[in-house]
Amino acid sequence: MSQLNEIVIMLREINEKMFKIFWKIFPNEVVKQDVDVDLLMTRMMVVSRLGISERTYNRWVKAGVLKPIVLGNKHYYREEDLREAIKRSVNRGLI
């Protein structure tokens, strides 16, 4: 179990370093804010949370309903960004 904890800690550290490097390389790509990587949701977490299909997820990203933080080919979301996206979509009658 301690090996698993060590791996989790290393992965968190790597993830934090990736975000820092990304923002140095692409400072205008995302809003500059401190992001707690432990609170980020993955694409599949969002699909599950919203109860939508992957196809619907892809359409919503393409339409701008959902705006992920993109690192490589991975999509990540902060809880508050997801809530805002849902609120905007409801107000616009999209969902």
Side-chain angles (χ1 to χ4, degrees):
M1 188 67 168
S2 78
Q3 274 186 324
L4 179 60
N5 288 337
E6 290 176 23
I7 291 171
V8 168
I9 290 169
M10 282 192 333
L11 288 173
R12 285 181 179 158
E13 290 172 357
I14 290 169
N15 203 6
E16 287 176 26
K17 289 178 183 178
M18 285 175 49
F19 274 107
K20 288 178 183 177
I21 291 168
F22 177 81
W23 280 316
K24 286 181 183 176
I25 296 171
F26 303 104
N28 298 322
E29 287 296 315
V30 293
V31 177
K32 279 190 174 182
Q33 294 181 17
D34 290 331
V35 175
D36 185 352
V37 295
D38 294 332
L39 299 178
L40 292 177
M41 292 186 288
T42 64
R43 165 192 179 117
M44 292 311 296
M45 291 168 73
V46 170
V47 166
S48 175
R49 177 115 184 254
L50 296 177
I52 60 176
S53 68
E54 288 186 57
R55 185 174 175 160
T56 298
Y57 170 86
N58 290 330
R59 281 197 318 266
W60 286 5
V61 169
K62 187 174 182 179
V65 174
L66 296 174
K67 297 177 183 172
I69 297 170
V70 180
L71 291 174
N73 63 349
K74 306 277 188 210
H75 289 189
Y76 298 97
Y77 295 86
R78 294 183 311 154
E79 176 74 29
E80 55 268 19
D81 292 339
L82 188 58
R83 277 196 302 260
E84 289 175 22
I86 293 168
K87 190 184 301 184
R88 280 193 316 271
S89 298
V90 168
N91 290 341
R92 291 172 50 199
L94 296 176
I95 57 173

